[in-house]
């Protein structure tokens, strides 16, 4: 089978670029349903992790996930929301 390339206009439309701080935890996306949400994180180590409510992330626990972002709770109950980075389409 011949290898095909994606036309540039299609690739530009499908590509979303975002500026992220590679030293920090970043939310790459949310997925699933309201009843069963999950999220994809980029960890400061460079690894990615799929998480759901209750997942331990470092010293915090995923407290909630919705279409706006992900909430992490620390051992004191303090919650921090992480949202998707600012994005721009194309190259």
């Amino acid at each position: 089978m011949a290898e095909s390339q994606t036309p540039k206009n299609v690739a530009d439309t499908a590509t979303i670029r975002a500026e992220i701080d590679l030293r920090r935890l970043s939310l790459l996306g949310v997925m699933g349903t309201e009843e069963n949400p999950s999220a994809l994180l980029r960890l400061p180590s460079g690894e990615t992790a799929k998480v759901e409510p209750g997942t331990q992330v470092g010293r915090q626990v995923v407290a909630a996930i919705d279409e706006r972002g992900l909430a992490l709770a620390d051992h004191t109950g303090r919650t921090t929301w992480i949202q998707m980075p600012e994005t721009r389409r194309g190259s």
Side-chain angles (χ1 to χ4, degrees):
M1 182 184 284
E3 187 176 318
S4 63
Q5 281 201 299
T6 304
K8 182 173 177 9
N9 65 328
V10 174
D12 286 347
T13 302
T15 301
I16 297 175
R17 303 210 187 277
E19 298 295 326
I20 61 172
D21 183 344
L22 299 179
R23 297 166 294 174
R24 300 187 62 165
L25 182 71
S26 297
L27 177 61
L28 299 177
V30 295
M31 58 207 121
T33 63
E34 248 182 70
E35 298 79 24
N36 192 22
S38 59
L40 187 63
L41 298 176
R42 185 197 181 280
L43 307 175
S45 66
E47 296 177 290
T48 56
K50 184 177 177 187
V51 298
E52 56 191 27
T55 303
Q56 184 88 27
V57 178
R59 294 180 160 181
Q60 299 174 307
V61 174
V62 177
I65 299 171
D66 68 15
E67 68 277 356
R68 297 168 305 193
L70 173 139
L72 291 172
D74 67 16
H75 69 284
T76 67
R78 181 175 173 214
T79 303
T80 305
W81 277 90
I82 299 176
Q83 297 182 322
M84 296 281 290
E86 291 293 317
T87 59
R88 57 186 168 85
R89 286 218 176 259
S91 52

